[in-house]
Amino acid sequence: MGKTKELSQDLRVRIVDLHKAGMGYKKISKVLDVKVTTIGAIIRKFKEYNMTINRPRPGAPKKISPRGVAMMLRTVRNRPATTRQELANDLKAAGTTVCKETIGNTLRNNGFTSCSARKVPLLKRAHVEARLKYANDHLKDEPSYWEKVLWSDETKIELFGLNSTRHVWRKKNAAYDPKNTVPTVKHGGGSIMFWGCFSAKGTGLLHRITGKMDGAMYRTILRDNLLPSARDLKMGRGWVFQHDDDPKHTAKDWLKKNHIKVMEWPSQSPDLNPIENLWRELKVRVAKRQPTNLHDLERICKEEWAKIPPVCVLNLWLTTTNDSPLLSVFGKRDQILIFLIEIQIN
């Protein structure tokens, strides 16, 4: 049924006047030749808003029905990688034709945002169980325990690594102005491997790794950098060393000989190490200084690493919204991770 023609303002006023004069809906309908339902709607509007003209509408009617929205939300919850075009095709099959922009707006209005999927280690069931055991074992540790942990890891920093993603403000047809470009070379222009460590008290030494690291080189790195870092950071007695189970980290006898307590670490768990936050911070800082060669890159990395202590303390103790000391170290992201691990096991 098509839309009916709206009543004029004069006719609406006459309906209200007749109603005020005591005339009933049916009699007004017969006198003015207007449907009873329309008479009732106009009089109810007048009683509620004291007006007969149309009230301002909130905007164009929604193109997607509540049922269609529910279908979209159910789909993206079950299959987060679903594209806007796939959702548009599903709605079209149900009788609703909308563009991808409308679908994107609807999802954002319901709390969803389009983000790059995070890369995480491929976990077997044994890895999942080990990670959950680690989380449960440390869940009730006191904050003083985490202050005694010295975290470590290696990372590769490329000469032109993060520079390639820099954003610039430019005008049309000025994309290749030298001021609006960043230099790129194959394989990042070369890179440097670093070993580093830190605790709640700040960063330790940052060591450049030259050549292929094996067990002997790793033990040398620990001898020349781990022990001095522990002294510089005033770790005191009973501190705990954290490193992952990389095959080249063969230093069990050396650590035992030097009376260094080692934290048990679950396999395939680089994302649990809070030093990853510092590596990211370091790479962002280095990219801003735009090193031009590997010598500059090493110098700038060590300078910026030494400036990070206030940031690393912030990462350790101010990112939590939970009283758990474990979450004081790992933050919200790993609170969710522990929850997901439990789901996978169950």
Side-chain angles (χ1 to χ4, degrees):
M1 180 182 294
K3 290 185 178 180
T4 57
K5 187 176 180 180
E6 289 189 350
L7 300 183
S8 67
Q9 181 61 23
D10 291 340
L11 187 53
R12 297 182 189 197
V13 172
R14 285 190 63 192
I15 292 172
V16 172
D17 289 341
L18 291 175
H19 178 69
K20 288 181 178 179
M23 193 176 291
Y25 289 6
K26 290 184 179 180
K27 194 168 184 180
I28 296 174
S29 173
K30 188 174 182 180
V31 170
L32 300 179
D33 193 22
V34 177
K35 291 182 179 179
V36 174
T37 54
T38 304
I39 300 292
I42 291 174
I43 293 174
R44 285 193 299 273
K45 180 189 293 184
F46 179 79
K47 288 180 178 179
E48 186 173 357
Y49 302 107
N50 197 31
M51 60 191 301
T52 57
I53 61 174
N54 289 331
R55 299 179 63 239
R57 293 184 174 90
K62 295 184 180 298
K63 293 185 177 181
I64 306 177
S65 67
R67 186 173 181 179
V69 172
M71 181 185 73
M72 287 173 49
L73 299 182
R74 185 168 57 251
T75 300
V76 296
R77 287 192 192 101
N78 295 334
R79 293 184 290 115
T82 304
T83 65
R84 293 181 301 169
Q85 186 59 57
E86 290 172 339
L87 291 173
N89 293 339
D90 291 343
L91 288 174
K92 188 174 182 179
T96 302
T97 302
V98 293
C99 63
K100 293 187 293 185
E101 287 72 19
T102 299
I103 289 176
N105 292 336
T106 302
L107 291 175
R108 281 189 288 273
N109 291 338
N110 284 275
F112 287 89
T113 55
S114 178
C115 307
S116 298
R118 297 294 178 89
K119 295 181 180 180
V120 297
L122 179 62
L123 301 178
K124 298 180 180 179
R125 184 177 180 82
H127 298 143
V128 172
E129 292 175 348
R131 285 157 68 97
L132 180 60
K133 181 180 182 300
Y134 171 82
N136 286 330
D137 288 346
H138 292 282
L139 199 58
K140 295 182 180 180
D141 287 342
E142 296 296 327
S144 57
Y145 172 82
W146 297 109
E147 292 175 355
K148 288 288 188 179
V149 177
L150 190 59
W151 308 86
S152 73
D153 198 13
E154 299 88 32
T155 191
K156 179 175 74 172
I157 300 183
E158 294 182 344
L159 182 59
F160 297 117
L162 293 181
N163 285 345
S164 59
T165 59
R166 191 186 310 139
H167 292 265
V168 297
W169 292 100
R170 63 173 177 81
K171 292 186 176 181
K172 189 177 180 180
N173 300 325
Y176 292 97
D177 187 309
K179 295 183 296 184
N180 300 329
T181 62
V182 291
T184 61
V185 293
K186 288 185 178 180
H187 312 299
S191 61
I192 297 178
M193 284 290 297
F194 286 101
W195 176 93
C197 63
F198 87 108
S199 75
K201 299 179 180 180
T203 53
L205 295 176
L206 185 68
H207 174 77
R208 177 177 180 176
I209 300 172
T210 56
K212 185 176 181 180
M213 188 167 75
D214 55 14
M217 180 185 291
Y218 184 64
R219 290 189 290 273
T220 301
I221 291 173
L222 296 184
R223 182 195 67 200
D224 297 342
N225 297 274
L226 176 62
L227 295 178
S229 295
R231 287 193 294 269
D232 293 343
L233 294 172
K234 297 180 173 58
M235 297 298 292
R237 293 186 177 183
W239 61 277
V240 181
F241 176 53
Q242 180 278 330
H243 66 166
D244 59 36
D245 61 345
D246 191 296
K248 58 181 173 289
H249 291 172
T250 52
K252 187 175 181 179
D253 293 338
W254 184 90
L255 292 167
K256 185 176 181 180
K257 180 180 177 181
N258 286 274
H259 308 289
I260 297 174
K261 185 178 179 180
V262 180
M263 176 186 288
E264 284 192 35
W265 194 251
S267 301
Q268 289 290 90
S269 300
D271 52 328
L272 291 183
N273 193 339
I275 202 172
E276 297 299 332
N277 298 329
L278 298 194
W279 290 140
R280 172 65 184 178
E281 178 69 21
L282 176 64
K283 292 173 183 179
V284 169
R285 288 167 173 249
V286 170
K288 289 180 179 178
R289 294 185 58 177
Q290 303 181 32
T292 57
N293 54 58
L294 294 181
H295 178 75
D296 280 350
L297 177 62
E298 180 179 4
R299 175 180 58 82
I300 292 173
C301 283
K302 291 185 176 180
E303 290 176 358
E304 294 299 329
W305 180 255
K307 299 176 185 177
I308 293 181
V311 179
C312 80
V313 173
L314 186 68
N315 279 335
L316 275 172
W317 306 113
L318 297 184
T319 57
T320 181
T321 57
N322 189 291
D323 293 331
S324 165
L326 178 67
L327 298 180
S328 295
V329 175
F330 292 155
K332 288 182 182 178
R333 176 174 55 88
D334 294 285
Q335 181 180 14
I336 299 171
L337 178 63
I338 293 170
F339 173 71
L340 293 177
I341 291 172
E342 291 174 335
I343 291 178
Q344 292 181 51
I345 290 181
N346 294 333

